[in-house]
Amino acid sequence: MSGAGRFQTIYAVIARIPRGRVATYGQVARLAGIPGRARLVGFAMAALPDGTRVPWHRVVNAQGRCSPRGDGGPGHMVQRLLLRRENVRFDRGERIALERYRWKPRGAGS
DNA sequence: CCACTGACGAGTG
DNA sequence: GCACTCGCCAGTG
């Protein structure tokens, strides 16, 4: 994408995550063509406007948890609720079984 | 220009 | 499985 919008590529990847599935920051970065820049994905997420159509809640960290926002906001709580609404189960430690819910892109995705 | 920070990940003990 | 360290890159003071 344009030099000014590297985020667009990231958002495009996230938009492809099917309902009821989750992807990790590193996974998104990799699919966006910027392997190792997981933090940049997080930065792009924080830059998302309120009411965005991008399913940001389907992106979790490698531990299968909803990373709390630096702002200390209820972001991770909302995320948990939205995922719960998509039949995604959380274990006792507020963690998701990635081996079960991880999104596996196919065909033109990989 | 330098130092610090951050919705992270992989490696190590 | 958990705590700590280092590496990444962009933005900010």
Side-chain angles (χ1 to χ4, degrees):
Chain A
M1 309 308 187
S2 315
R6 207 201 276 281
F7 300 137
Q8 276 306 90
T9 308
I10 295 173
Y11 299 148
V13 173
I14 298 173
R16 286 164 50 199
I17 304 174
R19 183 174 172 286
R21 293 282 175 184
V22 298
T24 65
Y25 292 91
Q27 189 179 354
V28 172
R30 190 166 173 132
L31 291 170
I34 50 173
R37 284 71 181 178
R39 300 182 84 188
L40 194 53
V41 175
F43 196 83
M45 303 285 283
L48 277 171
D50 191 29
T52 177
R53 67 182 184 74
V54 179
W56 58 271
H57 58 279
R58 290 175 191 151
V59 182
V60 298
N61 59 33
Q63 297 181 347
R65 291 185 185 167
C66 304
S67 299
R69 292 181 57 208
D71 204 335
H76 63 287
M77 289 298 215
V78 178
Q79 181 171 20
R80 203 197 97 142
L81 203 63
L82 288 170
L83 287 175
R84 194 85 180 69
R85 199 182 75 181
E86 297 185 354
N87 297 320
V88 174
R89 293 218 185 181
F90 284 78
D91 67 1
R92 201 170 107 202
E94 296 289 300
R95 289 187 290 189
I96 300 170
L98 291 177
E99 65 279 7
R100 179 175 172 174
Y101 294 99
R102 187 193 288 231
W103 171 47
K104 298 163 187 174
R106 307 180 184 188
S110 56

